[in-house]
Amino acid sequence: MRGPSVAHGVSFAEAVRVWARVALLSFGGPAGQIAVMHRILIEEKRWVSEQRFLHALNYCMLLPGPEAQQLATYLGWLLHGWRGGLVAGTLFVLPGFLAILALSALYAGFRGHAAVDALFFGLKPAVTAVVIHAVIQIGRRALKNGVMILVAAAAFVAIFFFEVAFPWIVLTAAGAGVLGGRLGPGRIAVAPGAPGAGPGATDEPVIGDDSLARARPTLGRAGRVLAVWLGLWVVPLVALVLLVGSAHVFVQAGVFFSQAAVVTFGGAYAVLAYVAQRAVETYGWLQPGEMLDGLGMAETTPGPLIQVVQFVGFMAAYRNPGTLDPMWAGILGSVIVTWVTFVPCFLWIFLGAPYIEYLRGNVRLTAALSGITAAVVGVILNLAVWFSVHALFGEVEECRPWGLRLLVPTLETLDPVAALLA
């Protein structure tokens, strides 16, 4: 599991301080978080070059999970090997975890109090506006031509009207990207962030662009990484099954969010529709509007937006505590969900980082990524529509004419205050 042997003057203690600073400033979703890292690591510290930073970001986007957290893990690994990646990735999550844990406990234990209800009432329409803005911004960046717009539209129709599972949409979009790239080069545009796309500083960075040449991937190293991180991922779930049984909410949440961690391509907004659908409709852990409350927590605290799953885990366990105190059950649910969500992120980086250089310029992978990126726009549009009707209307009826799913709000239940806030 040893990382690259890179000679530089950055001490581990200094890196820890910088990663803590990055974590505390990481508001505003992946775009804002990546901008914070760019400003601190490139413009201020000059630890890596613009080209190295964007190259790492490009391949983090290929992975399931939050690309900003994985980018921090990758750059931490680049600086100080596995311990640098572990510290950078953990610190990136820790402030948001503590904040959302406190907010979840407040939400669960003090609902009905006027001040708490007013706080979360205001968050719902604000988050709706943020999601709609995300659709516009990501759409402008990702949909380069008519073919990619068609892929986005097909993804929206599939998930909104036909309730096609998100993993199937990801796989189909990747296949469409590869096929489109072969049939018509240029039709499937390259994902943004190609190396050299931005104005790099002229000073020589602490870590040069060729520093990974000494980190050669080997089967022995890959086997050790798999053994350690798969063990950390799977063994706790097996232990839970033995302790409480496979039907317990801890096991259900652990298994479900382990599955979600494998299919979270495209960032938090893309997978939220998948999580919301299962958490609300399949498991009954949340009411439809409560997913907005959780997203509001994630939007207003530092760290990855996917940390909203911690709120889902808290409420699921709080409402199904078994023999435990509900609040303690909620805390344990938060820890379990956070663990199975982020342990895979370290696995992807520590296993794949030495291979990333060999993947550079792979046309098929680039086309697959671009197809997924286009489909993600349609999935986020589905999320925006779903959130909007539940945030602005008191009653929403679900109709199924001709096998289609339609959300029909009762117009008389429109909340004018919520609409004005949105």
Side-chain angles (χ1 to χ4, degrees), residues 61-103:
M61 289 178 65
L62 280 172
L63 302 171
E67 62 266 31
Q69 188 264 352
Q70 290 172 334
L71 178 62
T73 304
Y74 178 88
L75 295 175
W77 174 84
L78 194 60
L79 278 165
H80 294 104
W82 68 266
R83 65 173 183 156
L86 187 60
V87 166
T90 301
L91 285 177
F92 197 88
V93 174
L94 187 59
F97 169 79
L98 296 175
I100 292 178
L101 183 62
L103 288 172

Side-chain angles (χ1 to χ4, degrees), residues 129-422:
V130 170
V131 177
I132 293 172
H133 178 70
V135 175
I136 297 171
Q137 291 296 99
I138 296 174
R140 285 175 176 171
R141 185 182 65 182
L143 305 182
K144 303 293 186 180
N145 51 47
V147 173
M148 300 188 76
I149 292 174
L150 184 61
V151 171
F156 172 75
V157 170
I159 196 168
F160 186 82
F161 293 106
F162 294 97
E163 300 177 276
V164 176
F166 178 68
W168 290 114
I169 292 176
V170 169
L171 292 174
T172 304
V178 173
L179 181 62
R182 294 182 65 180
L183 295 179
R187 293 282 186 171
I188 299 295
V190 176
T202 56
D203 297 336
E204 183 67 22
V206 170
I207 297 179
D209 289 344
D210 60 348
S211 60
L212 273 183
R214 284 168 284 177
R216 308 296 294 184
T218 65
L219 289 178
R221 179 192 179 278
R224 291 191 296 272
V225 171
L226 281 170
V228 170
W229 289 98
L230 280 179
L232 289 172
W233 186 3
V234 174
V235 169
L237 292 178
V238 175
L240 281 174
V241 172
L242 296 176
L243 286 172
V244 298
S246 59
H248 197 281
V249 67
F250 289 162
V251 176
Q252 288 183 337
V255 171
F256 170 65
F257 285 105
S258 291
Q259 295 170 345
V262 179
V263 298
T264 52
F265 295 93
Y269 285 123
V271 80
L272 278 179
Y274 172 59
V275 171
Q277 181 184 31
R278 298 292 298 276
V280 174
E281 299 173 9
T282 303
Y283 293 105
W285 293 334
L286 298 179
Q287 299 299 317
E290 290 178 336
M291 195 68 187
L292 278 171
D293 295 329
L295 184 57
M297 295 179 193
E299 287 278 10
T300 52
T301 54
L305 292 182
I306 196 62
Q307 195 67 44
V308 66
V309 300
Q310 174 192 346
F311 168 73
V312 179
F314 185 100
M315 295 306 298
Y318 181 86
R319 288 171 172 162
N320 303 275
T323 58
L324 295 175
D325 175 78
M327 195 62 70
W328 280 110
I331 293 172
L332 289 173
S334 284
V335 172
I336 291 167
V337 168
T338 301
W339 183 267
V340 300
T341 297
F342 289 101
V343 165
C345 296
F346 292 102
L347 171 61
W348 312 144
I349 295 299
F350 292 150
L351 180 64
Y355 295 92
I356 287 177
E357 292 301 305
Y358 296 94
L359 295 175
R360 188 175 186 176
N362 187 296
V363 176
R364 290 186 179 180
L365 282 175
T366 302
L369 173 61
S370 296
I372 292 172
T373 303
V376 160
V377 178
V379 174
I380 299 174
L381 177 59
N382 159 73
L383 186 69
V385 174
W386 192 87
F387 275 176
S388 297
V389 295
H390 285 101
L392 304 182
F393 294 90
E395 295 181 8
V396 180
E397 183 181 0
E398 188 173 289
C399 303
R400 296 183 178 274
W402 307 293
L404 304 178
R405 183 191 67 162
L406 298 178
L407 298 179
V408 183
T410 303
L411 298 181
E412 292 79 10
T413 63
L414 174 66
D415 189 330
V417 177
L420 180 62
L421 285 173

